[in-house]
């Protein structure tokens, strides 16, 4: 059944009204997915000392002495190119929980870093290594409803783990359900605090990604819904 839904979404993208390459318009988007006019994000990406839409420094290339490196995703057998350090810890947690609890992932299913010239708007966050796309061909930009209710509940629970540091593209004005990005600037103390929480979980048996969690538990659902309302405000 899930495969049928993904097939439908791949077909539906041809009629979807989406941002940038999907719509073919000269529109960029803010860090949280709202449409804005102009090409400031693209111009910034091309400049010296460039930053992505969420304020993080853009890297010229991954695995080349800068801030973005391909890091292993434990339990999957593949890696993803992301900003090393706290961002890596957070985004790898997102990918791992998706893999264990939403759908099993294979090499090639997750896209991290993308070259600045290939991005604009919120997609520039890939160029700083602060965003990942999970199966973008299955959950194309501009199409909503790619996940069944239990899967969506787990995604909400993963976001609640991240306490607002990560935003899901499914909540953008023009949805991009494959997309997860760091949604706070590098100066935010929340990045280190949440990363430290995940590192402590990873070091503790019975905690962290890979441990069965009831995403429908009343307290967990309440926390997830509260975060959803806060991020939508």
């Amino acid at each position: 059944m899930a495969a049928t839904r993904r097939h439908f979404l791949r077909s539906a993208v041809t009629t979807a009204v989406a941002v940038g390459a999907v719509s073919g318009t000269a529109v960029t988007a803010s860090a949280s997915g709202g449409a804005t006019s102009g090409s400031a994000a693209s111009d910034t990406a091309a400049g010296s000392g460039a930053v992505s839409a969420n304020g993080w420094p853009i890297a010229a290339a991954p695995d080349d002495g800068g801030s973005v490196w391909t890091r292993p995703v434990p339990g999957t057998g593949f890696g993803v190119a992301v900003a090393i350090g706290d961002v890596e810890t957070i985004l790898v947690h997102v990918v791992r929980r998706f893999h264990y609890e939403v759908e099993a992932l294979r090499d090639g299913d997750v896209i991290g870093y993308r070259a600045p010239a290939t991005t604009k708007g919120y997609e520039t966050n890939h160029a700083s290594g602060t965003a990942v796309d999970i199966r973008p061909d299955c959950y194309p930009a501009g199409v909503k409803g790619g996940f069944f209710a239990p899967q969506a509940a787990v995604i909400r629970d993963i976001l609640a783990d991240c306490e607002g540091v990560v935003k899901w593209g499914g909540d953008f004005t023009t949805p991009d359900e494959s997309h997860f990005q760091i949604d706070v600037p590098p100066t935010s103390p929340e990045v280190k605090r949440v990363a430290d929480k995940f590192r402590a979980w990873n070091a503790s048996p019975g905690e962290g990604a890979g441990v069965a969690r009831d995403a429908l538990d009343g307290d967990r659902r309440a926390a997830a819904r509260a975060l959803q309302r806060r991020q939508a405000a």
Side-chain angles (χ1 to χ4, degrees), residues 115-199:
T118 69
T119 68
K120 63 179 179 179
Y122 70 84
E123 292 179 341
T124 61
N125 298 327
H126 285 281
S128 61
T130 58
V132 294
D133 285 351
I134 301 178
R135 288 185 169 166
D137 290 340
C138 297
Y139 310 110
V143 180
K144 196 169 181 67
F147 296 99
F148 294 106
Q151 294 174 312
V154 172
I155 290 172
R156 293 292 177 196
D157 196 63
I158 295 170
L159 295 172
D161 274 357
C162 299
E163 301 182 40
V165 171
V166 172
K167 188 159 188 175
W168 178 38
D171 290 329
F172 289 175
T173 303
T174 298
D176 187 349
E177 292 187 333
S178 74
H179 183 85
F180 297 83
Q181 67 182 33
I182 299 296
D183 204 50
V184 294
T187 54
S188 172
E190 293 301 292
V191 178
K192 183 179 186 304
R193 187 183 66 77
V194 170
D196 283 344
K197 178 181 75 171
F198 292 160
R199 281 189 280 263

Side-chain angles (χ1 to χ4, degrees), residues 60-88:
D63 306 317
D64 194 31
S67 59
V68 177
W69 290 82
T70 300
R71 306 301 298 151
V73 180
T76 68
F78 63 80
V80 60
V82 290
I84 56 174
D86 294 337
V87 168
E88 167 196 344

Side-chain angles (χ1 to χ4, degrees), residues 57-118:
I58 284 176
D63 306 317
D64 194 31
S67 59
V68 177
W69 290 82
T70 300
R71 306 301 298 151
V73 180
T76 68
F78 63 80
V80 60
V82 290
I84 56 174
D86 294 337
V87 168
E88 167 196 344
T89 299
I90 293 168
L91 292 181
V92 165
H93 176 83
V94 171
V95 175
R96 289 184 72 198
R97 279 204 63 188
F98 191 104
H99 169 72
Y100 291 132
E101 301 175 58
V102 180
E103 284 190 300
L105 301 173
R106 298 173 294 180
D107 189 19
D109 281 345
V110 182
I111 298 172
Y113 177 86
R114 288 172 52 193
T118 69

